[in-house]
Amino acid sequence: MAWHRLMVYLSTAGLFCFMMGINVLLFISHLISPSLTKKIILKLGERVTTTQNPNFKYEDWGLTFSSFAFVKTASQHMWLSLGQDAFVGGEAPDTLVVNMEGKQTSICNYFKGNRPLFKQLVKDFGDVADFLVVYVAEAHSTDGWAFANNIDINQHKTLEDRLSAAQILVEKEPLCPVVVDDMSNVSAIKYGALPERLYVLQAGKVAYKGTNGPWGYNPMEVRTFLEKNE
Ligand SMILES: *[C@@H]1O[C@H](CO)[C@@H](O)[C@H](O)[C@H]1NC(C)=O
């Protein structure tokens, strides 16, 4: 898997330079013309779930791209993504997670037989796949790169913080078990999962690996994958 790792380093370095470039350009363009900047960001973001999320309007998140908190959060995510260990066709890392009762368990404990394990699309594919949501570090914490008009969640300092933040998710009834990453953030790191990422795991192997969100977060791709493999 050595060349996989090399690809991770190279693509992360490339992405970082790209992001910094875009960031500086947007900052300048916002000084010149805020309305044109808004058009550009919305255009760039057409494929991004944030732009389609009815809970947020552009003003809640658009301007944060030229902020230090964005650069800091995105850089941290990229830095941690260097530790990823989940590659299509390779072993699925059986990382430590914590269930909502606060008990330690691990991702592979949620496999039943050899059915693919996975998040979302639960209703449509519940009879062929098992679904699991692993709640990892908060991407938009109030004390980090926050959106306006979002739920207030500070970055978790303790496991209790993380469990109570995940409780908000449980209340939305995801129709599948929710576990949280251990405070070492081992699942987020090995799965390169920050800020969010979709996987299909099957028979202990990584069968599908989405690109990381929000740009790469693509439930439709997973749907297509599951339909093909049903
Ligand atoms: C794991 O993530 C949390 C944020 O949710 C952070 O506060 C903590 O320092 C991280 N742990 C490690 C070991 O990096």
Side-chain angles (χ1 to χ4, degrees), residues 80 136-138 154-158 162 181-185 189:
L80 287 180
V136 296
E138 181 54 46
N154 278 325
Q155 205 44 273
H156 329 121
K157 294 203 171 57
T158 63
R162 189 166 277 179
D181 200 355
D182 176 72
M183 288 315 282
S184 66
N185 303 318
I189 292 171

PDB file of all heavy atoms in Angstrom, residues 80 136-138 154-158 162 181-185 189, ligand 1:
ATOM      1  N   LEU A  80      -4.487  15.638   9.246  1.00  0.00           N
ATOM      2  CA  LEU A  80      -4.915  14.356   9.801  1.00  0.00           C
ATOM      3  C   LEU A  80      -5.154  13.337   8.690  1.00  0.00           C
ATOM      4  O   LEU A  80      -4.944  12.148   8.875  1.00  0.00           O
ATOM      5  CB  LEU A  80      -6.196  14.525  10.629  1.00  0.00           C
ATOM      6  CG  LEU A  80      -5.996  15.222  11.977  1.00  0.00           C
ATOM      7  CD1 LEU A  80      -7.311  15.330  12.716  1.00  0.00           C
ATOM      8  CD2 LEU A  80      -4.982  14.469  12.830  1.00  0.00           C
ATOM      9  N   VAL A 136     -17.482  11.823  14.082  1.00  0.00           N
ATOM     10  CA  VAL A 136     -16.075  12.153  14.339  1.00  0.00           C
ATOM     11  C   VAL A 136     -15.976  13.603  14.807  1.00  0.00           C
ATOM     12  O   VAL A 136     -16.992  14.222  15.102  1.00  0.00           O
ATOM     13  CB  VAL A 136     -15.211  11.894  13.086  1.00  0.00           C
ATOM     14  CG1 VAL A 136     -15.204  10.408  12.742  1.00  0.00           C
ATOM     15  CG2 VAL A 136     -15.692  12.714  11.896  1.00  0.00           C
ATOM     16  N   ALA A 137     -14.768  14.149  14.867  1.00  0.00           N
ATOM     17  CA  ALA A 137     -14.589  15.536  15.309  1.00  0.00           C
ATOM     18  C   ALA A 137     -15.536  16.461  14.550  1.00  0.00           C
ATOM     19  O   ALA A 137     -15.814  16.251  13.368  1.00  0.00           O
ATOM     20  CB  ALA A 137     -13.140  15.959  15.097  1.00  0.00           C
ATOM     21  N   GLU A 138     -16.027  17.469  15.224  1.00  0.00           N
ATOM     22  CA  GLU A 138     -17.000  18.383  14.647  1.00  0.00           C
ATOM     23  C   GLU A 138     -16.326  19.301  13.621  1.00  0.00           C
ATOM     24  O   GLU A 138     -15.351  19.971  13.921  1.00  0.00           O
ATOM     25  CB  GLU A 138     -17.643  19.187  15.782  1.00  0.00           C
ATOM     26  CG  GLU A 138     -18.701  20.173  15.384  1.00  0.00           C
ATOM     27  CD  GLU A 138     -19.817  19.562  14.548  1.00  0.00           C
ATOM     28  OE1 GLU A 138     -20.316  18.478  14.910  1.00  0.00           O
ATOM     29  OE2 GLU A 138     -20.172  20.166  13.532  1.00  0.00           O
ATOM     30  N   ASN A 154     -19.309  23.055  20.578  1.00  0.00           N
ATOM     31  CA  ASN A 154     -17.883  23.327  20.707  1.00  0.00           C
ATOM     32  C   ASN A 154     -17.112  22.060  20.365  1.00  0.00           C
ATOM     33  O   ASN A 154     -17.640  20.958  20.456  1.00  0.00           O
ATOM     34  CB  ASN A 154     -17.545  23.784  22.123  1.00  0.00           C
ATOM     35  CG  ASN A 154     -17.838  25.263  22.315  1.00  0.00           C
ATOM     36  OD1 ASN A 154     -17.667  26.058  21.379  1.00  0.00           O
ATOM     37  ND2 ASN A 154     -18.285  25.623  23.491  1.00  0.00           N
ATOM     38  N   GLN A 155     -15.845  22.229  19.963  1.00  0.00           N
ATOM     39  CA  GLN A 155     -15.021  21.064  19.688  1.00  0.00           C
ATOM     40  C   GLN A 155     -14.964  20.227  20.971  1.00  0.00           C
ATOM     41  O   GLN A 155     -14.823  20.763  22.062  1.00  0.00           O
ATOM     42  CB  GLN A 155     -13.628  21.525  19.228  1.00  0.00           C
ATOM     43  CG  GLN A 155     -12.925  20.521  18.377  1.00  0.00           C
ATOM     44  CD  GLN A 155     -13.812  19.873  17.310  1.00  0.00           C
ATOM     45  OE1 GLN A 155     -14.487  18.871  17.566  1.00  0.00           O
ATOM     46  NE2 GLN A 155     -13.831  20.437  16.114  1.00  0.00           N
ATOM     47  N   HIS A 156     -15.146  18.894  20.803  1.00  0.00           N
ATOM     48  CA  HIS A 156     -15.263  18.050  21.990  1.00  0.00           C
ATOM     49  C   HIS A 156     -13.945  17.944  22.741  1.00  0.00           C
ATOM     50  O   HIS A 156     -12.937  17.599  22.155  1.00  0.00           O
ATOM     51  CB  HIS A 156     -15.705  16.631  21.586  1.00  0.00           C
ATOM     52  CG  HIS A 156     -16.561  16.611  20.369  1.00  0.00           C
ATOM     53  ND1 HIS A 156     -16.243  15.926  19.215  1.00  0.00           N
ATOM     54  CD2 HIS A 156     -17.737  17.226  20.121  1.00  0.00           C
ATOM     55  CE1 HIS A 156     -17.172  16.107  18.312  1.00  0.00           C
ATOM     56  NE2 HIS A 156     -18.095  16.894  18.818  1.00  0.00           N
ATOM     57  N   LYS A 157     -13.996  18.244  24.029  1.00  0.00           N
ATOM     58  CA  LYS A 157     -12.793  18.101  24.849  1.00  0.00           C
ATOM     59  C   LYS A 157     -12.778  16.749  25.543  1.00  0.00           C
ATOM     60  O   LYS A 157     -11.732  16.198  25.834  1.00  0.00           O
ATOM     61  CB  LYS A 157     -12.723  19.218  25.884  1.00  0.00           C
ATOM     62  CG  LYS A 157     -12.538  20.570  25.207  1.00  0.00           C
ATOM     63  CD  LYS A 157     -11.922  21.606  26.118  1.00  0.00           C
ATOM     64  CE  LYS A 157     -11.563  22.859  25.355  1.00  0.00           C
ATOM     65  NZ  LYS A 157     -12.742  23.453  24.651  1.00  0.00           N
ATOM     66  N   THR A 158     -13.968  16.209  25.800  1.00  0.00           N
ATOM     67  CA  THR A 158     -14.055  14.919  26.477  1.00  0.00           C
ATOM     68  C   THR A 158     -14.987  14.010  25.693  1.00  0.00           C
ATOM     69  O   THR A 158     -15.737  14.464  24.827  1.00  0.00           O
ATOM     70  CB  THR A 158     -14.646  15.066  27.899  1.00  0.00           C
ATOM     71  OG1 THR A 158     -15.981  15.566  27.758  1.00  0.00           O
ATOM     72  CG2 THR A 158     -13.842  16.026  28.750  1.00  0.00           C
ATOM     73  N   ARG A 162     -18.480  14.597  23.284  1.00  0.00           N
ATOM     74  CA  ARG A 162     -18.688  14.006  21.962  1.00  0.00           C
ATOM     75  C   ARG A 162     -19.977  13.206  21.937  1.00  0.00           C
ATOM     76  O   ARG A 162     -20.746  13.293  20.986  1.00  0.00           O
ATOM     77  CB  ARG A 162     -17.484  13.141  21.588  1.00  0.00           C
ATOM     78  CG  ARG A 162     -17.515  12.686  20.170  1.00  0.00           C
ATOM     79  CD  ARG A 162     -16.195  12.141  19.709  1.00  0.00           C
ATOM     80  NE  ARG A 162     -15.281  13.196  19.276  1.00  0.00           N
ATOM     81  CZ  ARG A 162     -14.042  12.964  18.838  1.00  0.00           C
ATOM     82  NH1 ARG A 162     -13.587  11.738  18.793  1.00  0.00           N
ATOM     83  NH2 ARG A 162     -13.283  13.958  18.459  1.00  0.00           N
ATOM     84  N   ASP A 181     -16.319   8.379  17.389  1.00  0.00           N
ATOM     85  CA  ASP A 181     -14.900   8.106  17.323  1.00  0.00           C
ATOM     86  C   ASP A 181     -14.334   8.172  18.744  1.00  0.00           C
ATOM     87  O   ASP A 181     -14.824   8.905  19.590  1.00  0.00           O
ATOM     88  CB  ASP A 181     -14.243   9.186  16.446  1.00  0.00           C
ATOM     89  CG  ASP A 181     -12.888   8.766  15.915  1.00  0.00           C
ATOM     90  OD1 ASP A 181     -12.403   7.691  16.297  1.00  0.00           O
ATOM     91  OD2 ASP A 181     -12.327   9.531  15.105  1.00  0.00           O
ATOM     92  N   ASP A 182     -13.316   7.392  19.003  1.00  0.00           N
ATOM     93  CA  ASP A 182     -12.595   7.476  20.269  1.00  0.00           C
ATOM     94  C   ASP A 182     -11.895   8.839  20.346  1.00  0.00           C
ATOM     95  O   ASP A 182     -11.645   9.464  19.325  1.00  0.00           O
ATOM     96  CB  ASP A 182     -11.575   6.328  20.290  1.00  0.00           C
ATOM     97  CG  ASP A 182     -10.716   6.380  21.518  1.00  0.00           C
ATOM     98  OD1 ASP A 182     -11.236   6.082  22.595  1.00  0.00           O
ATOM     99  OD2 ASP A 182      -9.527   6.739  21.394  1.00  0.00           O
ATOM    100  N   MET A 183     -11.573   9.317  21.541  1.00  0.00           N
ATOM    101  CA  MET A 183     -10.967  10.651  21.657  1.00  0.00           C
ATOM    102  C   MET A 183      -9.572  10.746  21.025  1.00  0.00           C
ATOM    103  O   MET A 183      -9.050  11.831  20.826  1.00  0.00           O
ATOM    104  CB  MET A 183     -10.933  11.118  23.116  1.00  0.00           C
ATOM    105  CG  MET A 183     -12.304  11.497  23.657  1.00  0.00           C
ATOM    106  SD  MET A 183     -13.298  12.532  22.528  1.00  0.00           S
ATOM    107  CE  MET A 183     -12.525  14.134  22.779  1.00  0.00           C
ATOM    108  N   SER A 184      -8.958   9.603  20.698  1.00  0.00           N
ATOM    109  CA  SER A 184      -7.709   9.654  19.945  1.00  0.00           C
ATOM    110  C   SER A 184      -7.991   9.991  18.476  1.00  0.00           C
ATOM    111  O   SER A 184      -7.081  10.240  17.711  1.00  0.00           O
ATOM    112  CB  SER A 184      -7.001   8.299  20.030  1.00  0.00           C
ATOM    113  OG  SER A 184      -7.778   7.322  19.357  1.00  0.00           O
ATOM    114  N   ASN A 185      -9.260   9.989  18.109  1.00  0.00           N
ATOM    115  CA  ASN A 185      -9.710  10.266  16.745  1.00  0.00           C
ATOM    116  C   ASN A 185      -9.173   9.243  15.746  1.00  0.00           C
ATOM    117  O   ASN A 185      -8.985   9.547  14.571  1.00  0.00           O
ATOM    118  CB  ASN A 185      -9.315  11.687  16.316  1.00  0.00           C
ATOM    119  CG  ASN A 185      -9.872  12.721  17.264  1.00  0.00           C
ATOM    120  OD1 ASN A 185     -11.028  12.620  17.692  1.00  0.00           O
ATOM    121  ND2 ASN A 185      -9.058  13.683  17.639  1.00  0.00           N
ATOM    122  N   ILE A 189      -8.862   9.418  11.578  1.00  0.00           N
ATOM    123  CA  ILE A 189      -7.535   9.439  10.963  1.00  0.00           C
ATOM    124  C   ILE A 189      -7.366   8.288   9.978  1.00  0.00           C
ATOM    125  O   ILE A 189      -7.058   8.489   8.811  1.00  0.00           O
ATOM    126  CB  ILE A 189      -6.430   9.410  12.045  1.00  0.00           C
ATOM    127  CG1 ILE A 189      -6.458  10.731  12.835  1.00  0.00           C
ATOM    128  CG2 ILE A 189      -5.063   9.184  11.417  1.00  0.00           C
ATOM    129  CD1 ILE A 189      -5.579  10.748  14.069  1.00  0.00           C
TER     130      ILE A 189
HETATM  131  C1  LIG B   1      -9.523  14.677  18.690  1.00  0.00           C
HETATM  132  O1  LIG B   1     -10.449  15.638  18.239  1.00  0.00           O
HETATM  133  C2  LIG B   1     -10.872  16.573  19.236  1.00  0.00           C
HETATM  134  C3  LIG B   1     -11.887  17.460  18.575  1.00  0.00           C
HETATM  135  O2  LIG B   1     -13.126  16.814  18.453  1.00  0.00           O
HETATM  136  C4  LIG B   1      -9.701  17.350  19.765  1.00  0.00           C
HETATM  137  O3  LIG B   1     -10.142  18.245  20.761  1.00  0.00           O
HETATM  138  C5  LIG B   1      -8.677  16.378  20.325  1.00  0.00           C
HETATM  139  O4  LIG B   1      -7.538  17.088  20.726  1.00  0.00           O
HETATM  140  C6  LIG B   1      -8.301  15.345  19.274  1.00  0.00           C
HETATM  141  N1  LIG B   1      -7.464  14.338  19.909  1.00  0.00           N
HETATM  142  C7  LIG B   1      -6.212  14.117  19.556  1.00  0.00           C
HETATM  143  C8  LIG B   1      -5.497  13.055  20.316  1.00  0.00           C
HETATM  144  O5  LIG B   1      -5.681  14.758  18.665  1.00  0.00           O
END
